[in-house]
Amino acid sequence: MKKLNRSILHAINRCISLIIPLLGLVPFHSCTTFMDMYGTPTIEFDINGRVENKLGKGIKGIEISKYGRPLDTTNADGTFNFTIIEPLHSSVELLARDIDSTQNGHYEDKTFYITDSKDIVITLEEKKQNNNEENDNE
């Protein structure tokens, strides 16, 4: 009888020793669904803006990009809209670049920085013509 009780206790101990490590793996599996909790804190920027010339007129065909990756292009009234996710407490460097050549004028590229979600207005300067271009026009 004593041997039977001992063998039953050994079997129960073996089962428990197999189950405990399996229970320990469950939290590691659930971490994959909550990556933000353990990674770098991020913030979502909802960017709404307008690109205009010195006179306040919206400029169509200006590409807004981040590190060479286009995010949006301005529409007929010069507005743009996009969302990006960045590390918390960082500023985002964006570039406004004229991609439609001289269709709506020819504008200088402009780098600008944002630190939070807000409506922004970017004023672009027209590119100055080279002397060769001025001579060709005369």
Side-chain angles (χ1 to χ4, degrees), residues 21-121:
L22 293 176
L23 294 174
L25 294 176
V26 173
F28 294 113
H29 175 69
S30 65
C31 288
T32 59
T33 58
F34 300 105
M35 290 177 69
D36 290 344
M37 183 187 309
Y38 300 103
T40 304
T42 59
I43 185 169
E44 186 172 292
F45 289 98
D46 294 318
I47 310 299
N48 298 304
R50 184 168 193 261
V51 178
E52 58 187 38
N53 62 17
K54 283 195 233 181
L55 303 174
K57 183 180 178 199
I59 306 169
K60 179 183 177 180
I62 303 296
E63 178 185 82
I64 309 298
S65 62
K66 177 184 161 200
Y67 305 124
R69 191 185 93 222
L71 299 170
D72 198 9
T73 303
T74 57
N75 58 22
D77 62 352
T79 59
F80 60 89
N81 180 338
F82 56 88
T83 301
I84 54 176
I85 298 173
E86 289 295 317
L88 192 61
H89 304 299
S90 69
S91 64
V92 180
E93 179 181 330
L94 299 173
L95 174 68
R97 186 171 65 98
D98 189 0
I99 60 171
D100 70 355
S101 185
T102 57
Q103 201 170 36
N104 294 315
H106 201 55
Y107 294 91
E108 298 277 344
D109 295 350
K110 184 171 186 177
T111 301
F112 60 100
Y113 300 88
I114 55 171
T115 55
D116 57 5
S117 293
K118 60 182 177 180
D119 292 337
I120 57 175
V121 177

Side-chain angles (χ1 to χ4, degrees), residues 129-138:
Q129 294 181 331
N130 293 338
N131 288 338
N132 293 341
E133 290 178 12
E134 289 175 4
N135 292 337
D136 289 343
N137 290 336
E138 291 179 359

